[in-house]
Amino acid sequence: MGIEERDRDGNIAALKAVAEQFAVSVTPHLQALIDPADPADPIARQFLPDAAELETHPHELSDPIGDAPHSPLPGIVHRYPDRVLLKLVNVCPVYCRFCFRREMVGPGSKGLSAGQLDAAIDYIRANPGIWEVILTGGDPLIVSPRRMADVVARLNTIPHLGIIRIHSRVPVVDPARITPGLVAALKGGKPVWLLLHANHAAEFAAPEARAAIARLVDAGIPVLGQSVLLKGVNDSPEALTALFRAMVVNRVKPHYLHHGDLARGTSHFRVSLDEGQRLVAGLRGRVSGLAQPTYILDLPGGHGKVPVGPVYAQAEDDGSWRIVDPWGCTHRYEDPAAG
């Protein structure tokens, strides 16, 4: 799909300017899901370039979650004591228009060389406090089954590692990549968990995507969901309900709902924290607990993820608690264990 085909407003020059700054790619699978007659199509909004990306603000950052200060060597981000990111590649099958790593990924971006991968794995091996490795990028499931099997096998030789986690969009954006060979490459050693990034129920509409997820789950690989709260995509109770129910139906447990990061050129996707809290509160009691993710903010500067969901319990001066139920009614609760 060329820039001319993506242009909705006759502003080809602006879209080409976007493509010069930020990577653009849409898989044939996603192209088939887009309704060209719908100007608010949620798939198009996530993946097709928009002239609004040329608008930047002083608060926007090239490294919005602070990877760089916590990267002791190429491919490693060590922000938390017990886990590290291992960034295998810097390319993806598609490029989200709101990506927090949009300054670092895209065609021509170099993945880890053989020597850099050796050094990254040596770093993990030399730090016994590391219990979890998170394969990310880019999208790690873009690599060949052979390369994935090699990386997983090498990680499996590190005694202090407990699990391997993979962050990916591939099952819903390029499901043909989830082959039996790739699934087999993930199995046979330490437990592998997959965090699937999806933001709208339409991403689960295609039978190919549902089958790709089923191949992973049926192979014993637990799949969790992570989403980004995006204006014009899922910023309504109905859209979030449909998204999280679609995940649960496909045996994907909603895990994180991310507040949007302050990446350059993404203000048109931004929802306020106050509105995000109202939306999340609106799910409580109305949607199954299985479909409730944790609403989180990844603090700028590399200070980590923190839950920012609504508060339902507040201590009162008299020692009691004020509790808000799922329907917004307030109740007084005396805590007998408080003495």
Side-chain angles (χ1 to χ4, degrees):
M1 182 183 287
I3 289 291
E4 289 79 3
E5 295 172 88
R6 297 187 182 107
D7 182 24
R8 292 176 178 271
D9 302 310
N11 196 354
I12 293 174
L15 297 186
K16 286 184 176 179
V18 171
E20 288 172 1
Q21 295 189 48
F22 306 116
V24 177
S25 179
V26 184
T27 59
H29 172 81
L30 284 181
Q31 290 181 39
L33 296 180
I34 294 173
D35 179 0
D38 181 4
D41 185 275
I43 304 295
R45 184 160 172 79
Q46 290 185 71
F47 299 107
L48 301 191
D50 190 314
E53 296 175 57
L54 298 174
E55 181 181 339
T56 60
H57 298 269
H59 57 261
E60 294 177 339
L61 304 167
S62 60
D63 182 15
I65 68 168
D67 278 350
H70 298 280
S71 185
L73 69 165
I76 291 287
V77 178
H78 195 174
R79 182 178 288 109
Y80 302 99
D82 74 330
R83 54 203 181 275
V84 296
L85 303 182
L86 175 55
K87 297 194 287 185
L88 282 181
V89 292
N90 289 321
V91 293
C92 304
V94 297
Y95 295 100
C96 304
R97 310 320 307 160
F98 48 87
C99 178
F100 66 93
R101 291 197 179 110
R102 64 196 328 230
E103 311 268 3
M104 310 166 198
V105 299
S109 300
K110 294 182 179 179
L112 293 183
S113 68
Q116 288 171 331
L117 179 59
D118 289 344
I121 291 178
D122 286 345
Y123 177 89
I124 297 166
R125 192 184 304 278
N127 284 271
I130 297 173
W131 179 80
E132 179 179 9
V133 169
I134 301 165
L135 300 183
T136 182
D139 196 313
L141 292 190
I142 203 170
V143 307
S144 69
R146 181 197 58 77
R147 188 177 183 205
M148 180 59 71
D150 174 68
V151 171
V152 169
R154 294 172 72 179
L155 293 174
N156 281 333
T157 67
I158 301 176
H160 57 262
L161 280 187
I163 67 169
I164 299 167
R165 193 200 316 180
I166 296 173
H167 287 185
S168 180
R169 244 189 178 306
V170 163
V172 293
V173 303
D174 200 5
R177 289 183 180 272
I178 308 299
T179 62
L182 180 60
V183 173
L186 304 177
K187 292 178 58 62
K190 298 180 187 295
V192 172
W193 291 60
L194 189 139
L195 254 70
L196 171 66
H197 177 183
N199 299 313
H200 196 274
E203 295 173 58
F204 296 88
E208 295 87 354
R210 298 195 297 271
I213 295 167
R215 280 193 287 275
L216 292 161
V217 178
D218 289 345
I221 298 170
V223 181
L224 305 178
Q226 61 176 346
S227 308
V228 182
L229 184 60
L230 299 168
K231 185 177 181 179
V233 175
N234 57 20
D235 60 329
S236 71
E238 295 78 15
L240 289 177
T241 296
L243 167 62
F244 299 137
R245 284 179 174 171
M247 285 186 177
V248 172
V249 165
N250 285 280
R251 296 177 289 173
V252 177
K253 172 66 180 79
H255 180 57
Y256 280 151
L257 174 62
H258 292 264
H259 190 73
D261 297 309
L262 300 178
R264 188 164 62 94
T266 62
S267 62
H268 54 299
F269 286 112
R270 206 152 291 145
V271 177
S272 70
L273 270 172
D274 184 60
E275 178 61 18
Q277 288 185 331
R278 285 197 295 269
L279 287 167
V280 172
L283 297 177
R284 183 63 58 184
R286 295 166 174 82
V287 179
S288 166
L290 292 173
Q292 303 276 347
T294 300
Y295 182 35
I296 62 164
L297 170 67
D298 214 330
L299 286 167
H303 301 292
K305 296 180 178 68
V306 291
V308 290
V311 176
Y312 299 97
Q314 290 185 319
E316 298 289 281
D317 292 339
D318 63 2
S320 68
W321 287 80
R322 182 166 58 89
I323 311 292
V324 180
D325 70 21
W327 294 271
C329 299
T330 302
H331 306 270
R332 178 186 174 92
Y333 177 75
E334 300 285 351
D335 184 359

